[in-house]
mmCIF file of all heavy atoms in Angstrom:
data_model
loop_
_atom_site.group_PDB
_atom_site.id
_atom_site.type_symbol
_atom_site.label_atom_id
_atom_site.label_comp_id
_atom_site.label_asym_id
_atom_site.label_seq_id
_atom_site.Cartn_x
_atom_site.Cartn_y
_atom_site.Cartn_z
ATOM 1 N N LEU A 38 101.737 7.848 164.429
ATOM 2 C CA LEU A 38 102.385 6.550 164.289
ATOM 3 C C LEU A 38 101.580 5.718 163.293
ATOM 4 O O LEU A 38 100.356 5.637 163.398
ATOM 5 C CB LEU A 38 102.430 5.826 165.640
ATOM 6 C CG LEU A 38 103.235 4.532 165.647
ATOM 7 C CD1 LEU A 38 104.726 4.836 165.753
ATOM 8 C CD2 LEU A 38 102.812 3.618 166.790
ATOM 9 N N THR A 104 105.750 9.451 150.429
ATOM 10 C CA THR A 104 104.457 8.782 150.573
ATOM 11 C C THR A 104 104.665 7.562 151.469
ATOM 12 O O THR A 104 105.779 7.034 151.553
ATOM 13 C CB THR A 104 103.925 8.303 149.205
ATOM 14 O OG1 THR A 104 104.964 7.529 148.585
ATOM 15 C CG2 THR A 104 103.576 9.475 148.301
ATOM 16 N N ASP A 147 127.941 0.047 220.396
ATOM 17 C CA ASP A 147 128.655 -1.004 221.135
ATOM 18 C C ASP A 147 130.132 -0.614 221.247
ATOM 19 O O ASP A 147 130.976 -1.044 220.466
ATOM 20 C CB ASP A 147 128.514 -2.336 220.384
ATOM 21 C CG ASP A 147 129.189 -3.477 221.126
ATOM 22 O OD1 ASP A 147 129.843 -3.214 222.167
ATOM 23 O OD2 ASP A 147 129.080 -4.627 220.656
ATOM 24 N N ASP A 255 148.535 -13.139 198.537
ATOM 25 C CA ASP A 255 149.206 -14.337 198.019
ATOM 26 C C ASP A 255 149.941 -14.013 196.713
ATOM 27 O O ASP A 255 151.055 -14.504 196.482
ATOM 28 C CB ASP A 255 148.170 -15.439 197.799
ATOM 29 C CG ASP A 255 148.818 -16.789 197.539
ATOM 30 O OD1 ASP A 255 149.097 -17.495 198.526
ATOM 31 O OD2 ASP A 255 149.071 -17.121 196.358
ATOM 32 N N GLU A 338 125.082 -12.639 184.646
ATOM 33 C CA GLU A 338 125.142 -13.852 185.446
ATOM 34 C C GLU A 338 124.720 -13.539 186.896
ATOM 35 O O GLU A 338 123.969 -14.298 187.514
ATOM 36 C CB GLU A 338 126.584 -14.382 185.412
ATOM 37 C CG GLU A 338 126.780 -15.749 186.011
ATOM 38 C CD GLU A 338 126.030 -16.848 185.268
ATOM 39 O OE1 GLU A 338 125.777 -16.679 184.062
ATOM 40 O OE2 GLU A 338 125.695 -17.856 185.924
ATOM 41 N N HIS A 404 113.649 11.616 178.659
ATOM 42 C CA HIS A 404 113.673 10.897 177.385
ATOM 43 C C HIS A 404 114.931 10.062 177.194
ATOM 44 O O HIS A 404 115.151 9.487 176.144
ATOM 45 C CB HIS A 404 113.457 11.877 176.234
ATOM 46 C CG HIS A 404 112.086 12.478 176.262
ATOM 47 N ND1 HIS A 404 111.791 13.609 176.976
ATOM 48 C CD2 HIS A 404 110.902 12.063 175.727
ATOM 49 C CE1 HIS A 404 110.500 13.889 176.859
ATOM 50 N NE2 HIS A 404 109.934 12.967 176.110
ATOM 51 N N PRO A 407 113.543 4.548 179.387
ATOM 52 C CA PRO A 407 112.141 4.132 179.387
ATOM 53 C C PRO A 407 111.455 4.591 180.671
ATOM 54 O O PRO A 407 112.119 4.774 181.710
ATOM 55 C CB PRO A 407 112.224 2.610 179.344
ATOM 56 C CG PRO A 407 113.516 2.321 178.658
ATOM 57 C CD PRO A 407 114.446 3.417 179.117
ATOM 58 N N GLY A 464 132.213 19.066 203.437
ATOM 59 C CA GLY A 464 132.650 19.171 202.041
ATOM 60 C C GLY A 464 132.893 17.795 201.441
ATOM 61 O O GLY A 464 132.453 16.772 201.973
ATOM 62 N N GLN A 526 93.857 12.930 189.957
ATOM 63 C CA GLN A 526 94.497 13.854 190.873
ATOM 64 C C GLN A 526 95.516 14.736 190.150
ATOM 65 O O GLN A 526 96.276 14.248 189.311
ATOM 66 C CB GLN A 526 95.209 13.041 191.942
ATOM 67 C CG GLN A 526 95.679 13.880 193.108
ATOM 68 C CD GLN A 526 96.595 13.102 194.023
ATOM 69 O OE1 GLN A 526 97.266 12.167 193.598
ATOM 70 N NE2 GLN A 526 96.630 13.504 195.285
ATOM 71 N N LEU A 528 98.455 17.846 190.871
ATOM 72 C CA LEU A 528 99.208 18.685 191.803
ATOM 73 C C LEU A 528 99.936 19.748 190.998
ATOM 74 O O LEU A 528 100.472 19.463 189.924
ATOM 75 C CB LEU A 528 100.229 17.852 192.575
ATOM 76 C CG LEU A 528 99.688 16.711 193.426
ATOM 77 C CD1 LEU A 528 100.844 15.954 194.065
ATOM 78 C CD2 LEU A 528 98.756 17.249 194.495
#
Side-chain angles (χ1 to χ4, degrees):
Chain A
L38 187 80
T104 52
D147 182 355
D255 192 88
E338 189 63 26
H404 294 88
Q526 192 190 27
L528 300 177

